[in-house]
Amino acid sequence: MTANDDTPEGRLPGSARAWAFYEGARTPYVILIKVYIFIPYLATVLVGDPVSGQALVARLVMAYGLFAALTAPLLGATMDRAGKRKPLLAAITAALVVCCASLWWATPAGLGLGLTCAIIFFAGILFAYSEVLHNSLLPFAAPPGHISATSGLGLALGSAISVVLLAFILWAFALPARMSADWLPDAPLFGLSAAAHQTDRIVGPIVALILGFGALPLFLWGRDAPRGAGGGIGESFAQLKMTLKSLPANRPMATFLASRMIYTDGLTAILLFMGIYAAGVMRWGALELTALAIIVSCFLAIGGLVGGRLDRLVGPRRAIRIELAIVVASQFALIGIAPDRLFYMAFNGSPLWDGPMFNTLPEIAFVVLASVSAVGICGCYASSRSMLTSLATPETVGSWFGLYALSGSVTIWLGSALVGLATAVWGTQQAGFVALIGLIALGWFGIGFVKKEPDPA
């Protein structure tokens, strides 16, 4: 049973919008905590060195990514047996809210580095589980003809909400600590101290608040999956085993999941390490990173909408290949940029303007390339989710999305490990990104062998 198909063309039903809004409320966790503000704070302040911090974050992601990879498929199979997803999703969301709020106390004298890493580890697992449950609700929340639009809308909303939050953080906390202007508060709001990094740690409670309230529409008005066949853990293992056995006979699905396993590793790692990379290579602080996050998030929103539209124009397989090619080209150019280097050549030019940030040509080029890459990354996420729903059936969509999560997590720990290893061996952050470009290129090649896909609408 899927969502009704009698919705007027071009208009999403309320259940689909509720599904998309949950996606929007989840995304600030990624943008504010995992990428641009909190994790760079952890790497540069709690650890004290950006290179060592990047290596530590890589090991941390490796740990929770591997755990999620081993358990998410069973979760998906269990939900296919149970049917209804929303009760468990509500419990996981509540626990994730608590984890985010607790990051306010992540100081050397408070939670300390060890307990903070434990919270990030637990939150990473919860976020992966919420992704499995939420993604598996997509074919029930949206009519078949609106799945691409719903998927893209969710990603676009997530980026748009993140932009609003980042703009508020920039205005309320980051800029008042660095400059004075008539349109800025005299000091960071709420009496927060930039010196004590309270302006960095406040993102935890902010994300918790947005997630808690933003998830409510899904639980109040979103369509849940119908009740399943039931059964205990043994039956869930049996269903998962049956799904895995069906992979050799379902060559398009097997090829897609294997290819996605490779390229998603690279895409996710780029987003995860971009903040740390910019902080270390470009020597940017909280102000520049927040501004970068706002700009990139705008282009992530564009990418979500472009991905949904591109799916309908050329089909999800071709859309994925176009989007991956954009990421490879932009990332190859980006690693050739540093404060004293532009496209792999030495640079010693003068500032282009007398502003608080992004006033040299390499800095502007970095922002532009990161933005172009964001369009391809978010578009590929939307197209990939659409691709799976086109290959799956509603009765087994939970199991397939469990394997989908596995294909997105099983090598992310390896990719993060490679980033950490390359960074440690060569002593440069750029080295870690070279492997990620290779993974994306390999995934681009593999997705070309997925022959079955729906005709463009």
Side-chain angles (χ1 to χ4, degrees), residues 96-310:
L96 186 57
V97 166
V98 172
C99 286
C100 293
S102 68
L103 296 179
W104 169 253
W105 292 279
T107 64
L111 294 175
L113 180 61
L115 191 52
T116 300
C117 288
I119 292 171
I120 294 295
F121 173 84
F122 187 52
I125 295 170
L126 292 172
F127 190 85
Y129 288 172
S130 73
E131 186 173 17
V132 173
L133 297 175
H134 178 244
N135 282 345
S136 70
L137 284 172
L138 178 56
F140 304 101
H146 291 76
I147 284 178
S148 292
T150 304
S151 177
L153 176 63
L155 291 167
L157 278 175
S159 298
I161 292 172
S162 298
V163 166
V164 172
L165 291 177
L166 287 165
F168 172 75
I169 290 169
L170 190 65
W171 172 81
F173 307 124
L175 283 175
R178 294 276 295 270
M179 59 183 291
S180 60
D182 293 339
W183 52 277
L184 289 175
D186 294 332
L189 294 186
F190 315 127
L192 298 186
S193 169
H197 298 283
Q198 292 177 333
T199 52
D200 297 323
R201 292 182 282 114
I202 192 62
V203 299
I206 289 175
V207 169
L209 186 67
I210 296 300
L211 178 58
F213 283 101
L216 290 178
L218 179 66
F219 299 121
L220 294 176
W221 302 297
R223 183 189 294 269
D224 203 346
R227 187 176 298 277
I233 193 72
E235 289 84 354
S236 299
F237 267 115
Q239 177 152 337
L240 176 59
K241 184 178 180 180
M242 185 167 31
T243 302
L244 289 170
K245 281 187 173 181
S246 72
L247 270 177
N250 193 343
R251 187 172 179 179
M253 181 69 82
T255 305
F256 167 66
L257 290 176
S259 300
R260 180 186 178 271
M261 178 177 66
I262 296 170
Y263 70 69
T264 297
D265 186 5
L267 298 178
T268 303
I270 285 172
L271 285 179
L272 177 64
F273 290 104
M274 183 56 69
I276 300 173
Y277 183 89
V281 173
M282 302 304 293
R283 298 192 286 274
W284 287 344
L287 174 62
E288 292 86 357
L289 291 176
T290 304
L292 176 67
I294 291 173
I295 297 169
V296 168
S297 295
C298 288
F299 283 89
L300 285 171
I302 293 171
L305 297 176
V306 168
R309 179 62 61 88
L310 199 57

Side-chain angles (χ1 to χ4, degrees), residues 12 14 48 81 100 114 147 149 167 254 273 285 328 336 362 378 395 425 440:
L12 294 179
R81 301 289 302 178
C100 293
I147 284 178
F273 290 104
V328 168
C378 198
E395 293 75 20
V425 170
I440 297 170

